[in-house]
Amino acid sequence: MSIRNAFISVIIGIAMMSINSLVFAQTENSQTQPKPAPTMEVEKTLIRIQPLLVTDVPLNEPASMDFGALSVPGISPELTRGVTVKAYTRYVEYEGQRIGQVVLTGVEKNGVRELLPANSFNAQFDLTEPRLEPGQDVLVEGDAASLKAALERLAEAETQEDEKPVEETVITQDDPGSQQQNSGGSEGNELAGSYQAPESVQMAAEGEEYINVTVAGCAVRIDIPQMQAYQQNRTETVKDGVVIDQSTCSDDMSNSFPLQKSYSVCTDNVDLTLKTATAQYVLFYNDSGGARQEVTSCAKDAEQVFPIIEKFDTCNVLLDYTNDLATPQSALIYQNINNVEVQVR
């Protein structure tokens, strides 16, 4: 490893310690912490997650973020289906490069959350643009065993929810049983018990606010000069589960679709006076779901003009036996945009 690469690794390692420390500080409760158990080395597994929304990644200061599409080698998809992964993310800069960082704090399903052991699930990666998008894989290195245990507790809680009345399964911060359920690990994992995830409806501090990025209520803006269709989004400020403020819709420059021309749905414009035929087109784009969206009506393409010419070899000579005349006949034709001959007359 070169001296420069080694130095970068040290810088990134310090940064990951910083984001973990800040997440811990933001989520630490007021209870007296027990003496940490001896550190045990666990086997790390690559865990795949994907963002649920297009979200800007902040510089230096970590921000909470939700992920989905959880996939873990050796863990059944039945356990990961419908699970939301809670995390913090940010990026740092070094020598002109953006280094993205993600730290997982918990998993949630149907309003029930399980916290994960502190500092056990981390990711760092090159970040071309300061944002994460749906469908973009993020590979997190973490302890698959503790994650599986948390997912199994979620599944068990879901089963109990189906079997018992709602009032018997409500989890509150004052319930001693809830502290055990949300400890995120085994009896020896005291660090996990120190977490209180800020976005949890049941565990959140009173009056806490967070920012949510959404495309709901925002249209796609068509920019014909730039030949782009931009998906717009807006930010919401949420407090106690209620939207208390929201921005106006604005372009998401990372989520756009190129405009394309389609000639197949339009007929050519024929001008016999000028003896020209002009191709016509509509503009369309394929949205995020792959559906075709037309944005204009048929219009002339000034760059696709074809001359109309006479063609004699397709017509018979007109014979007039009464007047002893033979008159050549011709057709008016042009080659269209697909180089197919079209007869005008």
Side-chain angles (χ1 to χ4, degrees):
M1 177 184 293
S2 67
I3 295 177
R4 179 178 180 277
N5 289 338
F7 184 62
I8 292 176
S9 298
V10 172
I11 292 297
I12 293 175
I14 293 174
M16 291 302 296
M17 293 174 61
S18 173
I19 186 173
N20 286 328
S21 298
L22 184 52
V23 171
F24 180 85
Q26 288 179 345
T27 58
E28 183 176 18
N29 60 21
S30 60
Q31 299 176 347
T32 301
Q33 301 300 318
K35 183 179 180 181
T39 302
M40 298 181 63
E41 188 172 342
V42 297
E43 183 178 353
K44 297 291 185 176
T45 301
L46 281 182
I47 299 163
R48 181 178 64 83
I49 55 176
Q50 293 181 356
L52 293 177
L53 294 171
V54 177
T55 305
D56 291 335
V57 178
L59 174 63
N60 295 329
E61 187 70 19
S64 60
M65 184 174 178
D66 288 350
F67 291 83
L70 174 62
S71 178
V72 189
I75 294 182
S76 169
E78 292 295 328
L79 288 177
T80 61
R81 184 175 295 113
V83 171
T84 298
V85 180
K86 300 294 183 178
Y88 280 87
T89 184
R90 73 168 182 181
Y91 75 91
V92 295
E93 292 183 335
Y94 178 75
E95 292 188 352
Q97 294 182 332
R98 296 188 186 95
I99 308 300
Q101 299 171 340
V102 172
V103 174
L104 306 192
T105 60
V107 288
E108 183 180 274
K109 186 175 182 180
N110 297 331
V112 179
R113 178 174 299 184
E114 285 291 334
L115 301 182
L116 296 173
N119 306 330
S120 295
F121 298 88
N122 304 314
Q124 58 187 26
F125 46 89
D126 291 335
L127 197 63
T128 305
E129 297 294 335
R131 64 180 57 86
L132 293 172
E133 304 181 11
Q136 178 180 352
D137 285 342
V138 175
L139 296 179
V140 178
E141 191 176 62
D143 176 12
S146 61
L147 177 57
K148 182 178 180 181
L151 293 173
E152 288 174 342
R153 289 194 295 273
L154 281 183
E156 182 180 356
E158 186 177 21
T159 302
Q160 294 174 353
E161 181 71 18
D162 294 337
E163 296 175 350
K164 297 181 180 181
V166 174
E167 59 271 21
E168 294 182 7
T169 57
V170 173
I171 301 173
T172 64
Q173 188 172 359
D174 297 330
D175 183 1
S178 69
Q179 295 177 9
Q180 179 179 0
Q181 178 180 1
N182 288 283
S183 64
S186 62
E187 182 178 356
N189 191 4
E190 290 86 357
L191 280 180
S194 69
Y195 271 83
Q196 289 191 40
E199 289 183 312
S200 173
V201 175
Q202 298 166 350
M203 300 293 288
E206 183 178 356
E208 184 178 352
E209 296 182 9
Y210 63 92
I211 301 299
N212 183 47
V213 181
T214 179
V215 299
C218 294
V220 175
R221 186 180 71 84
I222 306 302
D223 188 337
I224 293 180
Q226 298 296 324
M227 292 293 286
Q228 290 288 324
Y230 294 100
Q231 173 65 65
Q232 297 185 309
N233 62 22
R234 58 186 172 86
T235 58
E236 299 174 334
T237 302
V238 182
K239 183 177 181 180
D240 295 330
V242 178
V243 177
I244 61 174
D245 190 23
Q246 62 183 17
S247 68
T248 58
C249 294
S250 59
D251 291 348
D252 179 358
M253 305 306 292
S254 69
N255 192 12
S256 64
F257 317 102
L259 295 182
Q260 304 175 60
K261 292 181 179 180
S262 174
Y263 297 89
S264 60
V265 298
C266 301
T267 58
D268 297 335
N269 180 269
V270 175
D271 188 331
L272 290 177
T273 302
L274 297 177
K275 289 191 175 182
T276 58
T278 305
Q280 297 192 110
Y281 64 90
V282 295
L283 290 178
F284 75 97
Y285 68 91
N286 294 318
D287 63 21
S288 57
R292 173 182 169 126
Q293 305 292 341
E294 294 184 359
V295 299
T296 66
S297 55
C298 291
K300 295 179 182 179
D301 188 341
E303 297 180 354
Q304 301 293 339
V305 180
F306 315 106
I308 297 175
I309 61 173
E310 283 188 291
K311 187 174 182 180
F312 292 90
D313 56 6
T314 60
C315 300
N316 296 323
V317 175
L318 178 61
L319 299 176
D320 185 350
Y321 293 102
T322 303
N323 297 307
D324 294 332
L325 293 175
T327 306
Q329 297 187 115
S330 65
L332 296 180
I333 62 97
Y334 68 92
Q335 300 283 336
N336 68 11
I337 195 171
N338 296 318
N339 291 321
V340 176
E341 184 178 289
V342 179
Q343 182 172 304
V344 177
R345 188 186 63 191

